[in-house]
Amino acid sequence: MKYNRILLKLSGESLMGSQGYGIDPERLNSYASQIQRVADKGVQIGIVIGGGNIFRGLSGAARGFDRVKGDQMGMMATVINSLALSSAFEAIGQPAKVFTAIPMFPVGYPYSKWEAIKAMKEGSIAIMSCGTGSPYFTTDTGSALRAIEIEADVMLKGTRVDGVYTADPEKDPEAKKFDKITYDEVIARNLKVMDITATALCKENDMPIYVFNMDKEGNLEKMIEGENVGTLVSNN
Ligand code: UDP
């Protein structure tokens, strides 16, 4: 196995599946079983989920909400998604534990690095919600932070495209995919891998990011086994 401990970032939007809003149970169950197959191989798994399928602070602010309250609403949305995913895991017999960066026990357990690592070592999937727990951040930054904290070997960013391209492949048919790229190049070329805060945090702490298409069944397993199914972003 190429990696022993991973942090998987799932966007809230990916949970919508073919719906325009909310959570598609089919997509949720497909993710849960793909992730379980990787857990069955003995890989320790931490997960951070976004909340964009329910609420984003920035769009709230655009509609007149206080930004900090809007961001708190966005963080609550990540809790909703995390609970949904943990429920899908439990339904297939996969132990999972939801942590919240903002204390709200018994909805989830208060997040701490050591409790998350303990849960993973005991065979549970650690789902870390609320992003960083602070407004003005994104769940990309939250997942970079958690990946570094839990000492993951890699941060996996599951997206709708199969890696990092020279341009948006959904808009530009000439776009070419990178197998490997540096953080500096991602920032210099303004490639939309993750926001700059998240990318800079990974760069400073040498946390490799692997971008791949999570919606192609089996990709997650292939990636874990070392197959080249996406793009690796690192310092060299
Ligand atoms: N959010 C926040 N702090 C964090 C992470 C998230 O305030 O550390 C809020 C922010 O309002 C964001 C929303 O939660 O818009 C949902 O997260 P995000 O947009 O990253 O979700 P995704 O795009 O991955 O679905």
Side-chain angles (χ1 to χ4, degrees), residues 60-138:
R63 281 181 284 144
F65 286 99
D66 173 77
R67 171 71 193 268
V68 173
K69 288 195 197 299
D71 279 342
Q72 288 171 334
M73 292 164 75
M75 287 188 269
M76 296 307 112
T78 72
V79 178
I80 293 173
N81 287 335
S82 298
L83 292 173
L85 185 63
S86 75
S87 165
F89 278 133
E90 274 155 26
I92 56 172
Q94 170 62 51
K97 201 164 177 178
V98 175
F99 293 95
T100 66
I102 299 169
M104 58 181 91
F105 186 78
V107 173
Y109 295 90
Y111 169 75
S112 95
K113 161 186 176 167
W114 299 279
E115 290 300 323
I117 290 177
K118 186 166 163 260
M120 290 188 294
K121 284 188 171 163
E122 286 170 357
S124 279
I125 290 173
I127 307 176
M128 294 163 276
S129 66
C130 301
T132 63
S134 295
Y136 297 96
F137 287 101
T138 61

Side-chain angles (χ1 to χ4, degrees), residues 3-235:
Y3 302 108
N4 296 317
R5 182 180 293 161
I6 60 170
L7 187 295
L8 173 64
K9 156 81 205 286
L10 299 173
S11 77
E13 270 179 8
S14 66
L15 293 187
M16 296 191 303
S18 49
Q19 307 175 171
Y21 179 84
I23 302 167
D24 173 9
E26 223 169 273
R27 175 59 60 80
L28 197 65
N29 294 335
S30 147
Y31 280 173
S33 52
Q34 288 185 64
I35 296 165
Q36 184 185 40
R37 284 203 291 277
V38 173
D40 283 346
K41 294 179 194 288
V43 179
Q44 294 180 16
I45 305 172
I47 298 179
V48 168
I49 317 182
N53 54 326
I54 300 172
F55 199 86
R56 280 207 175 90
L58 264 182
S59 40
R63 281 181 284 144
F65 286 99
D66 173 77
R67 171 71 193 268
V68 173
K69 288 195 197 299
D71 279 342
Q72 288 171 334
M73 292 164 75
M75 287 188 269
M76 296 307 112
T78 72
V79 178
I80 293 173
N81 287 335
S82 298
L83 292 173
L85 185 63
S86 75
S87 165
F89 278 133
E90 274 155 26
I92 56 172
Q94 170 62 51
K97 201 164 177 178
V98 175
F99 293 95
T100 66
I102 299 169
M104 58 181 91
F105 186 78
V107 173
Y109 295 90
Y111 169 75
S112 95
K113 161 186 176 167
W114 299 279
E115 290 300 323
I117 290 177
K118 186 166 163 260
M120 290 188 294
K121 284 188 171 163
E122 286 170 357
S124 279
I125 290 173
I127 307 176
M128 294 163 276
S129 66
C130 301
T132 63
S134 295
Y136 297 96
F137 287 101
T138 61
T139 46
D140 274 353
T141 305
S143 57
L145 176 62
R146 297 301 181 230
I148 295 160
E149 278 191 280
I150 66 165
E151 298 167 35
D153 301 317
V154 66
M155 178 190 148
L156 304 183
K157 181 159 158 122
T159 62
R160 288 184 306 184
V161 288
D162 54 4
V164 182
Y165 281 77
T166 48
D168 184 346
E170 286 179 351
K171 290 181 193 141
D172 182 351
E174 302 286 293
K176 295 216 162 45
K177 183 182 151 243
F178 295 98
D179 286 335
K180 248 180 101 162
I181 189 168
T182 63
Y183 307 107
D184 287 337
E185 223 183 328
V186 164
I187 295 171
R189 285 175 177 251
N190 195 23
L191 298 172
K192 304 275 181 280
V193 177
M194 300 202 304
D195 54 79
I196 294 176
T197 317
T199 309
L201 197 59
C202 286
K203 173 178 150 66
E204 276 168 16
N205 294 282
D206 242 331
M207 173 56 63
I209 308 163
Y210 198 84
V211 184
F212 73 110
N213 187 341
M214 177 77 191
D215 296 344
K216 272 195 198 143
E217 284 262 356
N219 254 2
L220 180 62
E221 259 177 296
K222 285 185 188 156
M223 188 272 150
I224 294 293
E225 278 162 2
E227 242 183 82
N228 175 16
V229 291
T231 300
L232 183 71
V233 188
S234 64
N235 267 319

